Amino acid sequence: MSTLRFQALKETLNRKPLKITEPARRSEIFSSNVFNETVMRQFLTKEAFENVTEAMRTGKKIDRNVADHISTGMKEWAISKGVTHYTHWFQPLTGTTAEKHDSFFEPLSEGLAIEKFGGSQLVQQEPDASSFPSGGIRNTFEARGYTAWDPTSPAFIWGTTLCIPTIFVSYTGEALDNKTPLLRALQAVDNAATNVAKYFDKNVKKVNATLGWEQEYFLIDSALVASRPDITLTGRTLLGHSPAKGQQLDDHYFGSIPSRAISFMMDLEIECMKLGIPVKTRHNEVAPNQFELAPIFEEANLAVDHNSLIMDVMKKVGERHNLAVLMHEKPFAGINGSGKHNNWSLATDTGTNLLSPGSTPMKNLQFLTFFINTIKAVYDNEELLRACIASASNDHRLGANEAPPAIISVFIGSQLTKVLDELEKVTDGKLSPQEKTDLKLNVVGKIPEILRDNTDRNRTSSFAFTGNKFEFRAVGSLANCANAMTVLNSIVAKQLKDFKVEVDKLIKDKKMKKDDAIFNVLREYIKKSKKIRFEGDGYGEAWEKEAKKRGLSNNRTTPQALKAQVSKKTISLYKELEVMNKTEVEARHEIELEEYAMRIQIEGRILGDIARNHVIPTAIRYQNILIKNVTGLKAIYGEEYTRHAKEQLEIIESISAHIASINSNVNAMIEARKIANKIEDVEKKAFAYCDDIKPYFEEIRYHCDKLELLVDDELWPLTKYREMLFTK
Ligand code: ADP
Ligand code: MG
C-alpha cells in the first residue's frame, strides 16, 4: 500500500479548523504594526516628521542628519513592540521578496550592550547581491548592489523584525529589482497625467496611479501537498487524472466557505489589519478549494508592496493551519486557473478619479480624455503589455484553454462604445457652437455618473473597463504586480505626453479652443485604436481569427511574448520616460528567459522522475498481480482460461503499452534537454525548452494518467485530484 498517500489522507481527515478569536475591533488593530503618521508624530521630532512626510509626498531626499533622528525613532517604536531585528525588505528580480535580518543589539565593553540603529543603516545597506539575478549587469559593470530606503512605503513589523521597504540597485545605478522601474514609471505617469489634468483643473499638482489587486489561490492540506513531489517542487501537478466531478456544477463559486478555509482567512485578515493592508473581500472561486482575496485599492507603489507582502504572509499563516497556499496559475489541469486582476486608475491630489465619469459635461470630457488615451496606449503597446505578464506558469492560462487569451483586447461595454462612435463623427477642425452644445448635451453629458452597474459584465477580455477603472485581467496569480504596473503606467505616460503635445499644437498653430483641440485629437485616437476594442467573447477560435485579421498579436508562449520587451520601440519608450536604460531592459529580458528555461527544465526533470520512480513501478506491481491471477486461472481452467481472463489480459497489454510510451518519451525528453543545455544563447535556449522539451510533458502525462485509471487505487502512490480538491 502506498503509505505516504494514505497517511496524508488520514492526517487531513482528522484536521479540525483552528479557532481564531478577533483580538479587538479590526479598525482598532488596523495599521498597528506600521510606522504610520500617527506613530511618527509620537516617535519623531517635528523636523524629522516633516522631512519624512515631505519625502513621502514629493519624493524629496532625506537629509543624513535627519535620517539619524528617524532611525532612532523607528527603533524605539519597534523595540516597544518587542522587535529585536531589522531588515531591508526588497523585491529582487526573482519575483519574490528578500530580507536579511540584523540585530539592533550591539555589545559595548565590559559586558555591556545597547540597541542601536543608525541613520546610515536605515538609508542604505549592501546585501550580498551576487546571488540575485542581474542579467549580466554586474558582470558588465563589476558593480556591487545596494538597497536604499523607499520612504513612500512605510516600514512595518513582521514577527520580531522591523522591515524597511527598499529599492535594490547596482552601484552604477542600474535597477536590480522590480520596484525601481516601477517608481520611475509612476513618476512618469504623474508628470504626464498632471499636465493633462491641468486642462480641466488648474489646481492639480500630482496624479497617483491606483491599484486594487485581486489575488486568487488554492488551499490544499499541507500533508496532501507533501505527498506530491510535483507540487512541492514546482507549485503545480505535472500529472493526475481529472476527477469524475470537477467544477461543472459551479457549486463552489460564491458558495459557503469551508470551515478550515474561513479560519485561515480570518487569521490572515487579522495579520493584514496589523500590517495596514486594507483587505476587504473574501470568497470562494470557481474551482473547488480555490479562493480569492481583495483589498481596497491603494496608491500603486504601496499596493504592489502589499501584494508582495501578503503573498508571503499567506504562506506563513497557511502553515499554522496546515494548509499549503498554491499561488501557481494552474496547479491542476482541466480546472480553473488563478489570476491576479489588476484594477487600475489615476487619481489627482484634489481627489478626482480621472477614470470616473462625472456629473458635468466638462468632467466627462476629462474622463473621456483619460479613457481614450488609455485605450490608445494599450493599442499601441499591446505586445509589450502581453510581454509583461509572460511567465512559464502564466502560459498555462494565456494562450492555453482558458480565458483571458494571449491576445490583448479592450472591453468597454455598449454604452461607452456608443459614446465613442458619436465622438468619431466630430467635425475636423473648429467645432461650431451648435455642434459643441449638442455634443455636451447629448454625448458627453449623457454618460451616467455611475457607470459601474451599467457596465456589461465580460469575463473573457484581458483588459476591461469596469465603470471607474480598467481591470487588467491577464496578470498571473504568482506574478509581482510591479511588472504589469511599470508597463501600464509607462505606456499611459507616453501616450498622455504625446496627447498634450498634439493638443497644444492645435491650440497654438490652428488657434483652436482647448475643447475643440481635445475633441479633434480624441477623434483621431478613437479611429486609430479601434482595432483593440472588442465587445464579443474574447476567447476561442473565432476571436483568434478575427484578431489576426485586425493585426493584433497572439503570442502564446513566454519566449515569443518576451521579444516585445527588447524591441526598439520599447527601448526608446523607456529611455524617453527615464524608466529604464537599454542595459536594464536587456538584463531583464535575459533574466526572464533564463528563468523560463530553468522552470521548464525543473518540471521536465521532476516529471521524468515521477514517471519512472512512481508510476512505472506501481504499474508493474499491479501488472504482476494480474499476471498471477491469469496464471491461476490458467491452472484451474486450462485452455479455457482466456474466457475468464479476457479483461485481465487486456489490462496487462495496455499497461505494457503505456509503460513503453512513457519510457520512450522520457528518454526522448532527456535527449532534447541535453541538446538544449548546450545552447549558449539564452533566447534560443528558452525557445528550445518551449518547443522541443515542453511538448513531451503532455505525452508523458497522458500515459501516466491512463495508468492511474487502470491501476488498483490501493496501490497508487500519488494523492489523486479528487482527494486534493475535495478534502476540506
Ligand atoms: P468587482 O470588480 O469584483 O465587481 P469592485 O468593483 O468592487 O469589484 O472592485 C474590484 C477591485 O477594484 C477592488 O480591489 C477595488 O479595490 C478595486 N478598485 C476599485 N476602484 C478602484 C480605483 N479607482 N483604482 C484602482 N482600483 C480600484
Ligand atoms: Mg475582478
Short mmCIF file of all heavy atoms in Angstrom, two decimals, residues 214 292 341 343 457 459 466 471 473, ligand 2:
data_model
loop_
_atom_site.label_atom_id
_atom_site.label_comp_id
_atom_site.label_asym_id
_atom_site.label_seq_id
_atom_site.Cartn_x
_atom_site.Cartn_y
_atom_site.Cartn_z
N GLU A 214 -6.66 41.67 -7.11
CA GLU A 214 -7.49 40.58 -6.58
C GLU A 214 -6.66 39.31 -6.69
O GLU A 214 -6.28 38.93 -7.78
CB GLU A 214 -8.77 40.44 -7.40
CG GLU A 214 -9.61 41.72 -7.44
CD GLU A 214 -10.65 41.66 -8.56
OE1 GLU A 214 -11.50 40.76 -8.54
OE2 GLU A 214 -10.61 42.52 -9.45
N GLU A 292 -10.49 33.67 -3.34
CA GLU A 292 -9.98 34.98 -3.74
C GLU A 292 -10.00 35.95 -2.58
O GLU A 292 -10.86 35.89 -1.71
CB GLU A 292 -10.81 35.56 -4.89
CG GLU A 292 -10.25 36.87 -5.39
CD GLU A 292 -11.13 37.56 -6.42
OE1 GLU A 292 -11.22 37.05 -7.54
OE2 GLU A 292 -11.71 38.60 -6.08
N HIS A 341 -6.21 39.90 -11.00
CA HIS A 341 -6.71 41.07 -11.71
C HIS A 341 -6.08 42.32 -11.12
O HIS A 341 -6.05 42.48 -9.91
CB HIS A 341 -8.24 41.17 -11.56
CG HIS A 341 -8.96 40.05 -12.24
ND1 HIS A 341 -10.32 39.91 -12.20
CD2 HIS A 341 -8.50 39.01 -12.96
CE1 HIS A 341 -10.68 38.84 -12.88
NE2 HIS A 341 -9.59 38.27 -13.34
N ASN A 343 -6.78 46.04 -10.94
CA ASN A 343 -7.68 47.16 -11.17
C ASN A 343 -6.86 48.44 -11.06
O ASN A 343 -6.17 48.66 -10.07
CB ASN A 343 -8.79 47.18 -10.13
CG ASN A 343 -9.70 45.98 -10.26
OD1 ASN A 343 -10.65 46.00 -11.02
ND2 ASN A 343 -9.38 44.91 -9.53
N ARG A 457 -21.00 42.96 -18.05
CA ARG A 457 -20.02 42.05 -17.47
C ARG A 457 -19.41 41.20 -18.56
O ARG A 457 -20.12 40.53 -19.31
CB ARG A 457 -20.69 41.17 -16.41
CG ARG A 457 -20.94 41.93 -15.14
CD ARG A 457 -19.66 42.00 -14.34
NE ARG A 457 -19.69 43.16 -13.44
CZ ARG A 457 -18.69 43.46 -12.63
NH1 ARG A 457 -17.60 42.73 -12.60
NH2 ARG A 457 -18.77 44.50 -11.85
N ARG A 459 -16.22 38.48 -18.96
CA ARG A 459 -15.21 37.82 -18.17
C ARG A 459 -14.02 37.33 -19.00
O ARG A 459 -13.07 36.80 -18.47
CB ARG A 459 -15.83 36.63 -17.41
CG ARG A 459 -16.92 37.04 -16.48
CD ARG A 459 -16.64 36.56 -15.05
NE ARG A 459 -17.10 37.55 -14.10
CZ ARG A 459 -16.29 38.22 -13.27
NH1 ARG A 459 -15.01 38.01 -13.29
NH2 ARG A 459 -16.79 39.09 -12.43
N THR A 466 -14.32 48.80 -16.12
CA THR A 466 -15.40 48.36 -15.22
C THR A 466 -15.94 49.54 -14.41
O THR A 466 -15.93 49.54 -13.19
CB THR A 466 -14.93 47.23 -14.28
OG1 THR A 466 -13.65 47.59 -13.73
CG2 THR A 466 -14.77 45.92 -15.01
N GLU A 471 -9.50 47.12 -15.69
CA GLU A 471 -9.13 45.90 -14.99
C GLU A 471 -8.24 45.07 -15.92
O GLU A 471 -8.73 44.54 -16.92
CB GLU A 471 -10.42 45.15 -14.63
CG GLU A 471 -10.20 43.96 -13.75
CD GLU A 471 -11.52 43.42 -13.17
OE1 GLU A 471 -12.54 44.14 -13.24
OE2 GLU A 471 -11.51 42.30 -12.68
N ARG A 473 -6.73 41.90 -16.59
CA ARG A 473 -7.08 40.61 -16.01
C ARG A 473 -6.10 39.49 -16.32
O ARG A 473 -6.25 38.38 -15.85
CB ARG A 473 -8.43 40.17 -16.56
CG ARG A 473 -9.56 41.11 -16.20
CD ARG A 473 -10.84 40.30 -16.21
NE ARG A 473 -11.99 41.13 -15.95
CZ ARG A 473 -12.92 41.38 -16.86
NH1 ARG A 473 -12.83 40.89 -18.08
NH2 ARG A 473 -13.96 42.12 -16.54
MG MG B 2 -12.23 41.47 -10.96
#
